[in-house]
Structures are given as structure tokens and as C-alpha cells.
Amino acid sequence: MTSAPAPEPSAPKPALIFDDPLDQQSSDDTDRGWGERPGSGGDSAADLKRFLDEKPPHHL
């Protein structure tokens, strides 16, 4: 007679967290990524390039 295979242990269920999600800082709450270009370091050539890149077409 064959016996039924032992059931495999299932993965533990994720715990419920009842913290207030508004207490945590989101990525939108930081200044990072809001138009800053990384690593310019006050380089005047980089500033000129940014000015020329962002200049509206009617300001030629």
C-alpha cells in the first residue's frame, strides 16, 4: 500500500504592517531628481551647455 506524500511546507505569509504610510519619506519628498544635473561642480562650460540646451527656440 502506498502512503500519500508528505505535504510540502508552504511559504510563510507576509506579515501585516499597520504603520502609517504617511510617516515614511517617499522619493518625491526629496530634492534628488528634480532637475539637477549630477556632477556639474560649478563648471562654466557645463553651465553654458545647460543654458544652450534649455534655451527656448525663440531666444536664438
Side-chain angles (χ1 to χ4, degrees):
M1 189 151 110
T2 61
S3 60
E8 295 180 21
S10 61
K13 293 182 180 179
L16 294 176
I17 301 173
F18 293 102
D19 293 340
D20 186 5
L22 299 178
D23 287 342
Q24 301 171 2
Q25 187 178 32
S26 70
S27 60
D28 291 343
D29 293 337
T30 63
D31 291 335
R32 185 174 183 196
W34 285 90
E36 295 87 19
R37 293 189 180 199
S40 67
D43 185 16
S44 62
D47 290 340
L48 178 62
K49 180 174 177 1
R50 180 178 179 186
F51 171 75
L52 294 174
D53 288 345
E54 295 180 357
K55 184 174 54 169
H58 61 275
H59 286 160
L60 296 175

